[in-house]
Amino acid sequence: MSLEFRHIAHAYGDVTALRDVSFTAPTGEITCLLGSSGCGKSTLLNLAAGLLDVQHGSVLVGGDVLAQPGANPPPEARPVGLVFQDGALFPHMTIAGNIGFGLPRGNRGEVDGWLERVGLSGLGARYPHELSGGQQQRAALARAMAPGPKVLLMDEPFASVDIVLRRRLRRDCRVLLREQGTTTVMVTHDPEEALDVGDRIAVMEEGRIVQFGTPEDLHERPATASVGAIFGGAQVMVASREGDALRTPLGLWPVTCVAGELPDAAALDLLIHAETLDCEPDAEGLWVRDVHPLGVASRVLLRNGSGDEMTVQTTSPVAEGSRYRVVPRVGSVRAFAHQ
């Protein structure tokens, strides 16, 4: 079933955490809430879980109101499963006991089935402290999914696991969730993780959703320069229109460098990819502050006299301490109205 947020607003005293948030996590899909610390993503998850009361707006599951002001059932009365960053397994119970906690007594066959699904066959008699961090997260996932919740909520479930294991865990997790057809909402601050796991991504900034769409939508058609920078590995620079040129901190650039129409705005946010910039020797240009070889190419950090910096990726030889002019290629820059 779908999970829907309608006009959610929330505050902690005088601090506003969410501002009129509305979106729907589709049935059977994995939706990632992506943003930096303090953007409101965990608050949104906790409102759905029942760990916080809804102050304004409503939360719906399958079109039916789950929570709204004055009607906030506790977590145990909601058709949701929860997976936290640390797993939160019961330390005094075996792994089999943890998984079977929300199941009818004596349902050993179903517990064994979940142990197999998450790659823990034969480990049901162990206790949480006897498993690795990755194994504990697998057990936590099985415990949350075993009762068959309509919605699964996951709060940074892989953050405490090392990077190599994390990649495998999120791959296996995605496959399992898709096979089970579980509607899932997962909080993460890692763009790579959101792209790897999510069918849809809600990018949050300062308590609002700035873009909601598929990974392809966000990567190929960002709504703002900041979204483009998150997913495309691009740099953002503020510029202004000056005749047939753009006035940037790095000098005048021709408007032909912009792909598509130029926004009608006094100030512009330019989205720039390091590999689409060229360096040309110029005695009055930017100083080369650092050259980092990457194999075939090098990443070059340049700085002007005011301290503005730009990274260029080039296959041409560039020496530290020399000076260059940065030139964008035709149609390589995206321009947005300055936020």
Side-chain angles (χ1 to χ4, degrees), residues 14 22 34 50 56 96 112 116 125 127 156 174 187 191 198 231 253 266 271 308 318 333 338:
D14 295 332
S22 296
L34 174 68
H56 302 280
D112 288 342
E116 182 177 355
Y127 286 86
E156 306 239 25
R174 172 175 166 79
V187 163
F231 293 100
W253 286 0
L271 189 64
D308 300 300
V318 175
V333 175
H338 179 61

Side-chain angles (χ1 to χ4, degrees), residues 15-333:
V15 178
T16 300
L18 295 171
R19 309 168 188 269
D20 195 24
V21 172
S22 296
F23 76 95
T24 299
T27 303
E29 292 190 6
I30 303 169
T31 298
C32 289
L33 301 179
L34 174 68
S36 58
S37 297
C39 71
K41 56 189 187 298
S42 290
T43 296
L44 203 57
L45 201 77
N46 289 337
L47 290 171
L51 301 177
L52 291 173
D53 287 346
V54 174
Q55 297 172 348
H56 302 280
S58 56
V59 180
L60 297 87
V61 172
D64 296 326
V65 174
L66 174 66
Q68 59 187 0
N72 288 280
E76 63 270 17
R78 301 188 181 206
V80 300
L82 300 173
V83 179
F84 299 100
Q85 181 174 327
D86 60 358
L89 295 170
F90 301 124
H92 63 287
M93 289 186 178
T94 63
I95 298 305
N98 269 276
I99 295 174
F101 180 75
L103 297 174
R105 288 181 177 274
N107 206 333
R108 179 68 195 189
E110 191 166 349
V111 171
D112 288 342
W114 277 106
L115 285 168
E116 182 177 355
R117 288 188 191 98
V118 298
L120 297 178
S121 294
L123 301 181
R126 295 191 183 184
Y127 286 86
H129 72 274
E130 297 176 307
L131 299 185
S132 67
Q135 289 172 328
Q136 290 180 31
Q137 283 304 86
R138 290 175 184 272
L141 178 62
R143 184 183 67 178
M145 294 183 66
K150 294 177 180 178
V151 176
L152 182 65
L153 305 174
M154 307 177 75
D155 194 357
E156 306 239 25
F158 314 122
S160 60
V161 183
D162 70 79
I163 185 63
V164 176
L165 180 57
R166 190 183 312 162
R167 287 170 178 154
R168 180 177 176 182
L169 262 179
R170 64 195 188 201
R171 179 200 66 194
D172 293 346
C173 178
R174 172 175 166 79
V175 170
L176 178 62
L177 292 171
R178 294 289 287 167
E179 286 178 347
Q180 298 295 314
T182 305
T183 302
T184 305
V185 176
M186 186 179 85
V187 163
T188 180
H189 66 275
D190 184 348
E192 179 185 340
E193 185 164 276
L195 290 172
D196 275 357
V197 178
D199 296 302
R200 298 177 193 271
I201 302 171
V203 181
M204 299 190 67
E205 294 178 2
E206 298 180 347
R208 293 187 175 92
I209 292 180
V210 294
Q211 189 168 0
F212 179 69
T214 66
E216 181 183 18
D217 289 335
L218 275 62
H219 189 274
E220 300 298 328
R221 295 172 290 279
T224 66
S226 61
V227 172
I230 289 172
F231 293 100
Q235 304 161 93
V236 179
M237 184 170 62
V238 179
S240 59
R241 184 74 177 264
E242 190 169 304
D244 291 332
L246 297 174
R247 171 65 65 181
T248 80
L250 308 182
L252 286 176
W253 286 0
V255 293
T256 54
C257 72
V258 175
E261 293 185 7
L262 206 59
D264 183 15
L268 302 169
D269 287 330
L270 302 184
L271 189 64
I272 308 157
H273 290 270
E275 65 273 15
T276 64
L277 297 172
D278 294 321
C279 285
E280 297 179 354
D282 186 338
E284 302 299 322
L286 310 175
W287 290 102
V288 175
R289 188 181 182 196
D290 182 60
V291 179
H292 183 196
L294 301 174
V296 175
S298 294
R299 187 174 64 231
V300 180
L301 179 64
L302 301 106
R303 171 183 281 187
N304 66 11
S306 301
D308 300 300
E309 294 183 338
M310 179 61 59
T311 299
V312 176
Q313 186 167 308
T314 179
T315 56
S316 301
V318 175
E320 288 187 26
S322 54
R323 302 186 75 163
Y324 289 83
R325 181 166 62 99
V326 175
V327 181
R329 297 171 194 168
V330 174
S332 65
V333 175

